[in-house]
Amino acid sequence: MRKIQLSILCVILLACNPSKNASKPPKEITSNDNVSSTTNDNTDYYEENFLRYEDHIYKENVKTVKLFQKDFPMTYPLLFMRDNGQLTLSFDVMGKKFETYNYSFVHCDANWEPSILIQPEYMSGFANGFVEDYKFSFNTTQPYINYQLNFPTNDFKFIKSGNYLLKVYSNGNEEDLLLTKQFYVVDNKVEVVANVKAATLARYRDFKHEVDFSILHPDYTINDPFQELNVVIRQNFRWDNAITGLKPLYMKGGELDYNYEDKNLFWAGNEFRNFDIKDLRYQSMNVGSIAYEEDNKYHVYLFPENSRAHIRYLTQQDLNGQFLVKRDDSRDSFNEADYANVHFNLKMEQPLANGDLYVFGRLTNWEFNEEFKMQYDYENKAYTASPYLKQGYYNYIYAFLPDGEKEGDLFTVEGSHFETQNEYYIFVYHRPMGTVYDQLISVSFN
């Protein structure tokens, strides 16, 4: 189920660093816990520099963090062994004050916990360097500095496949974290053949997608697939609803069959909503009004919206939750695009009980975080939020997060339809008997 993505032709390809000083190791959390800042009841989690092995921003003045394949900003962070590809990290720091930022990498296992490999075992060369590429914002009302990092470089290469965490921190102090980003290094050794379809089970057929797939390995040895393989399926690159722990149903020579009817189901959801703020001089797609207000900021007011929970499916092209930084008539949107408070307004007669509502998508790092948490306005009978966003074209959706849960519920506000087109990424990890790390031997996109 592929989708035409705007008018941009993108190749969507899809790869962890503990630290602090030796006398005081950092507090850590791994994304394997699937914990968001709204659901973790460990009070240490709320500390500013609590190291998370996940995509996370640690400073409030850091905005618009993206990690993508160089020159293809709509892609996800995948590197391939024996390829000369690079990833680009881009982020903005609000204000005019220049600071020195360092970066380093950590190799992780399939569950996003640090592997036991030491750096010389997964990298060649020296990679604890500086983020040297930066530009001050130009012709914007909001001053900021855009920093970029392209890697790997001629100074270092990744020599082991698997999961990696990129850490960025201030002035050589690994305790002073700025951001962490996950990425993947893939060593293709097997082929994954997948089929995404409406659920086989009748009770889910109208609402869920079934992701059936086979792993073909005619020339690659897998002695015990039940113990050695770890498979992860992600919908639109979300973590909160990822499926893990699947075991093959059948083994047929060099083929492993994962044709389940119940364990490989995702709520199909609905097509993403969107808005266009590439130009703040006039109203464009789904924008009701734009004003430059007394706080010396642009404010973009989107048209009021309604729940789609009980509305019939409508075909609509979207970017499956992506966003593109873009300012019309600019040479370099990375440092010429301005910022604005974007006001979301979702009409609803009563507030939802036993949970919170969020704006959700890649613009939120696929996280449920406070900036995108909506508040109920009893006077106007609407949920509202006003995050500070960079100019561009955005996809988003409204997600309800029940109290104490980690998986977002799109059904409550957006509905769910088997006709919805989503992207599904299948990650295959292999740890042969007697080895000590998880190889990433395939990533399939469907």
Side-chain angles (χ1 to χ4, degrees):
M1 287 187 174
R2 297 177 181 268
K3 187 169 297 180
I4 298 174
Q5 300 190 346
L6 210 56
S7 60
I8 303 167
L9 185 59
C10 295
V11 179
I12 300 189
L13 307 169
L14 299 172
C16 232
N17 193 312
S19 71
K20 282 197 175 182
N21 59 36
S23 62
K24 187 180 178 183
K27 294 167 180 165
E28 303 175 353
I29 190 165
T30 68
S31 67
N32 186 46
D33 299 320
N34 274 332
V35 179
S36 76
S37 59
T38 61
T39 61
N40 190 282
D41 49 8
N42 183 337
T43 55
D44 288 340
Y45 189 90
Y46 297 93
E47 293 187 5
E48 180 178 318
N49 288 309
F50 193 102
L51 176 60
R52 299 155 171 86
Y53 287 86
E54 60 189 41
D55 291 349
H56 191 73
I57 300 170
Y58 299 81
K59 306 290 187 183
E60 291 185 356
N61 64 332
V62 178
K63 302 287 185 183
T64 320
V65 179
K66 289 195 80 172
L67 181 60
F68 53 88
Q69 295 170 41
K70 186 179 179 181
D71 300 325
F72 295 94
M74 301 289 287
T75 59
Y76 285 106
L78 280 172
L79 289 171
F80 293 86
M81 302 285 284
R82 296 172 294 278
D83 190 3
N84 293 322
Q86 286 184 300
L87 298 181
T88 296
L89 171 71
S90 174
F91 62 93
D92 295 339
V93 178
M94 301 295 101
K96 301 177 181 179
K97 183 181 178 182
F98 171 80
E99 290 195 41
T100 300
Y101 297 114
N102 303 78
Y103 65 91
S104 58
F105 304 97
V106 171
H107 187 271
C108 295
D109 64 16
N111 296 317
W112 288 100
E113 296 177 351
S115 71
I116 68 171
L117 299 180
I118 60 176
Q119 184 168 301
E121 293 178 309
Y122 58 82
M123 297 178 64
S124 63
F126 182 75
N128 294 63
F130 296 91
V131 181
E132 298 176 335
D133 186 2
Y134 63 91
K135 289 182 180 180
F136 288 85
S137 58
F138 176 72
N139 197 27
T140 62
T141 61
Q142 169 64 61
Y144 62 88
I145 305 174
N146 174 254
Y147 293 84
Q148 293 195 11
L149 171 68
N150 295 314
F151 67 90
T153 68
N154 292 330
D155 296 326
F156 70 92
K157 301 291 181 185
F158 300 105
I159 57 176
K160 292 287 193 298
S161 66
N163 293 344
Y164 283 81
L165 189 78
L166 166 63
K167 293 170 51 179
V168 178
Y169 46 92
S170 298
N171 299 311
N173 180 7
E174 294 197 44
E175 295 185 6
D176 192 6
L177 288 165
L178 196 74
L179 62 92
T180 48
K181 292 293 289 184
Q182 298 176 339
F183 67 97
Y184 305 83
V185 177
V186 188
D187 187 6
N188 281 316
K189 295 181 178 179
V190 300
E191 180 183 0
V192 175
V193 178
N195 179 36
V196 181
K197 62 180 184 179
T200 300
L201 298 175
R203 64 182 180 274
Y204 295 133
R205 190 167 299 152
D206 292 335
F207 311 108
K208 291 191 175 186
H209 285 163
E210 179 177 319
V211 184
D212 296 328
F213 63 97
S214 296
I215 298 175
L216 309 180
H217 61 107
D219 301 315
Y220 180 73
T221 301
I222 302 175
N223 291 316
D224 186 355
F226 296 93
Q227 298 297 322
E228 296 180 2
L229 291 185
N230 192 331
V231 175
V232 177
I233 311 175
R234 295 172 66 179
Q235 180 192 60
N236 298 328
F237 231 71
R238 291 171 58 183
W239 262 125
D240 64 302
N241 66 341
I243 292 177
T244 62
L246 292 178
K247 303 299 181 183
L249 277 175
Y250 306 104
M251 300 170 58
K252 299 177 289 187
E255 179 179 353
L256 304 174
D257 187 276
Y258 290 78
N259 188 2
Y260 285 91
E261 293 184 352
D262 55 347
K263 296 181 179 180
N264 52 350
L265 298 179
F266 289 86
W267 287 100
N270 210 333
E271 306 297 353
F272 283 81
R273 303 171 190 252
N274 58 73
F275 64 90
D276 184 344
I277 54 170
K278 297 194 298 293
D279 197 321
L280 296 175
R281 296 172 297 181
Y282 59 86
Q283 298 162 224
S284 54
M285 187 181 300
N286 296 324
V287 174
S289 64
I290 301 173
Y292 189 74
E293 300 187 357
E294 293 180 354
D295 58 358
N296 298 319
K297 293 180 180 179
Y298 281 105
H299 288 257
V300 175
Y301 295 87
L302 304 182
F303 284 118
E305 299 179 290
N306 296 295
S307 168
R308 297 186 290 176
H310 305 293
I311 296 178
R312 183 172 297 179
Y313 173 80
L314 295 175
T315 300
Q316 175 179 298
Q317 294 183 11
D318 68 12
L319 303 179
N320 289 318
Q322 292 262 18
F323 72 92
L324 176 70
V325 171
K326 184 75 170 72
R327 176 177 178 169
D328 285 345
D329 301 323
S330 69
R331 293 184 178 181
D332 187 350
S333 293
F334 284 110
N335 73 307
E336 295 183 29
D338 213 335
Y339 275 81
N341 283 110
V342 178
H343 296 260
F344 296 83
N345 186 306
L346 178 67
K347 295 295 185 181
M348 196 166 288
E349 284 297 314
Q350 297 291 334
L352 298 169
N354 304 316
D356 295 301
L357 193 64
Y358 291 83
V359 178
F360 191 57
R362 194 175 185 185
L363 79 166
T364 74
N365 271 324
W366 297 108
E367 290 183 312
F368 301 100
N369 59 57
E370 286 297 315
E371 184 178 11
F372 295 90
K373 182 178 177 179
M374 307 189 78
Q375 303 297 324
Y376 189 74
D377 182 341
Y378 284 88
E379 181 178 350
N380 295 306
K381 294 184 177 181
Y383 273 98
T384 62
S386 55
Y388 202 42
L389 300 175
K390 200 171 186 177
Q391 282 184 266
Y393 180 86
Y394 286 82
N395 271 195
Y396 66 98
I397 208 159
Y398 293 116
F400 178 69
L401 187 65
D403 292 337
E405 297 295 325
K406 302 168 186 176
E407 179 179 341
D409 164 18
L410 306 187
F411 184 88
T412 297
V413 173
E414 303 291 3
S416 189
H417 310 274
F418 77 91
E419 299 98 331
T420 302
Q421 299 179 47
N422 292 306
E423 295 168 353
Y424 290 93
Y425 298 82
I426 302 173
F427 299 76
V428 181
Y429 300 89
H430 185 209
R431 184 181 291 199
M433 193 70 66
T435 62
V436 296
Y437 76 97
D438 294 319
Q439 303 174 41
L440 182 53
I441 59 173
S442 180
V443 176
S444 171
F445 160 68
N446 298 273

